Amino acid sequence: MDKNITLQGSTEEGNPTVLEQGISLASNNEPLSVNLVNMTLQNGDFGVFDNNNGPEANERRDAVITLTDCVIKDFTGKGVYTSGAKRLILKNCTFENCATGTDTGTTGDYAIDMNLIGTKGADVTITDCEFKGYLGGKAAVKITQRGGPSDEGAGDIPMDKGQATINSFSMSGCSFDTETPVDVRIGTEHKTPDQPDLENTTANFPVMISGNKTEINVLVAPTGKSYVVPVGGTGYKNVTGEFTVIGGTTPDPEEPTTGASIGDVDYATIPEAVAALKDGDTLVFNQDYDQPII
């Protein structure tokens, strides 16, 4: 596909529109938008393949890929692979038995592999998706920003693309019932063996994982630390901060509480108090709080 296009499948119950062998984007760094709706992609190497091959100089690594109400299943390689998407949106999709191959260098490692190279300011949103079956030997979902000094000499990516940057990664409303050891993998291990002290920046981007239907197992690859985000809980990090996990609590509806106070004014909830803050105010917490304050 080398044009902006929407592929719209049938909505008839029991009569899905099937796209055998998946779809490849040949954008060569031109702006490209591909929108798949109500499609079943099945069988072959890759469900969606985007390897943006153009030079870094034209600053056009900005493919937009959107999958809505799709089923991606039975691929030996990735269900979705992208190196150049500026925006990736996966909504109400099912991923089943992808990355079933045995070559962990190209296939068999991740069902969704966002191995971004040279892309500036990428945004990734995964909402209300279901993951089931075997989805890779490493993780069902991987997202990382590659290129730049911390990847110099890595050998597995073209260094003329430059450092990718990710503005945000969010996942909500999703469920995982898989045989894959890790659900979400953030960043990559160090890729510069001859410079082990070089800072690994592949995971330096904001992450928000919240309100999911099953617990989410997360690995922050550069640090090697693993985390479990509970059902309905939240796991988050800023650009360079540690990944933090907090669980959800349900207040007793029979017991009215005051969330916070500013001076003599009480607020029912902490977000309401935060919204009312002015320069120099002191916010007094009257209860515990388990959500990030931005």
Side-chain angles (χ1 to χ4, degrees):
M1 310 305 300
D2 60 358
K3 300 176 177 64
N4 295 331
I5 193 168
T6 293
L7 301 182
Q8 172 78 52
S10 169
T11 59
E12 182 181 347
E13 184 71 24
N15 187 30
T17 300
V18 176
L19 180 63
E20 294 281 353
Q21 304 293 316
I23 181 172
S24 292
L25 283 62
S27 56
N28 289 323
N29 251 37
E30 293 302 316
L32 178 65
S33 175
V34 173
N35 182 28
L36 306 181
V37 184
N38 286 317
M39 301 289 292
T40 294
L41 284 64
Q42 66 182 28
N43 300 326
D45 294 331
F46 293 86
V48 176
F49 182 80
D50 162 44
N51 189 15
N52 203 330
N53 294 313
E56 180 191 9
N58 62 17
E59 298 181 350
R60 299 287 288 276
R61 298 181 66 79
D62 54 1
V64 176
I65 303 171
T66 304
L67 277 67
T68 306
D69 298 325
C70 291
V71 175
I72 300 91
K73 65 179 183 178
D74 300 331
F75 287 97
T76 58
K78 329 281 183 160
V80 174
Y81 175 83
T82 176
S83 67
K86 181 104 172 195
R87 193 174 183 197
L88 177 65
I89 301 169
L90 306 175
K91 184 176 181 180
N92 198 33
C93 293
T94 298
F95 293 85
E96 183 175 5
N97 294 332
C98 295
T100 58
T102 57
D103 176 6
T104 57
T106 304
T107 63
D109 46 7
Y110 311 107
I112 299 176
D113 189 355
M114 290 162 280
N115 194 50
L116 301 180
I117 307 167
T119 303
K120 305 299 182 185
D123 291 292
V124 177
T125 304
I126 303 177
T127 307
D128 298 331
C129 289
E130 183 180 7
F131 298 84
K132 56 186 181 179
Y134 183 84
L135 294 176
K138 293 184 178 179
V141 179
K142 183 196 83 175
I143 178 168
T144 182
Q145 52 188 27
R146 301 292 305 278
S150 73
D151 265 338
E152 186 173 356
D156 64 333
I157 62 170
M159 291 308 301
D160 64 335
K161 309 301 182 188
Q163 171 78 59
T165 59
I166 298 171
N167 281 344
S168 65
F169 169 73
S170 65
M171 173 180 283
S172 62
C174 296
S175 64
F176 287 80
D177 181 13
T178 74
E179 305 165 41
T180 301
V182 176
D183 298 324
V184 178
R185 184 185 183 98
I186 301 169
T188 60
E189 295 97 343
H190 208 284
K191 293 289 185 177
T192 311
D194 59 339
Q195 300 183 61
D197 296 329
L198 199 61
E199 182 186 4
N200 186 331
T201 59
T202 60
N204 286 2
F205 53 87
V207 174
M208 177 64 73
I209 298 173
S210 63
N212 290 285
K213 299 174 183 177
T214 61
E215 67 178 26
I216 309 294
N217 297 297
V218 179
L219 171 66
V220 181
T223 65
K225 294 181 179 179
S226 297
Y227 306 86
V228 176
V229 181
V231 176
T234 297
Y236 66 95
K237 68 182 288 295
N238 61 19
V239 173
T240 58
E242 284 280 324
F243 192 83
T244 300
V245 177
I246 51 179
T249 59
T250 303
D252 185 352
E254 303 298 325
E255 183 180 346
T257 59
T258 299
S261 303
I262 302 174
D264 296 330
V265 180
D266 295 331
Y267 294 86
T269 68
I270 291 171
E272 290 177 24
V274 170
L277 282 171
K278 298 187 298 295
D279 189 30
D281 280 346
T282 296
L283 175 66
V284 178
F285 284 70
N286 298 328
Q287 60 182 223
D288 293 337
Y289 194 60
D290 64 355
Q291 299 294 317
I293 295 178
I294 302 174

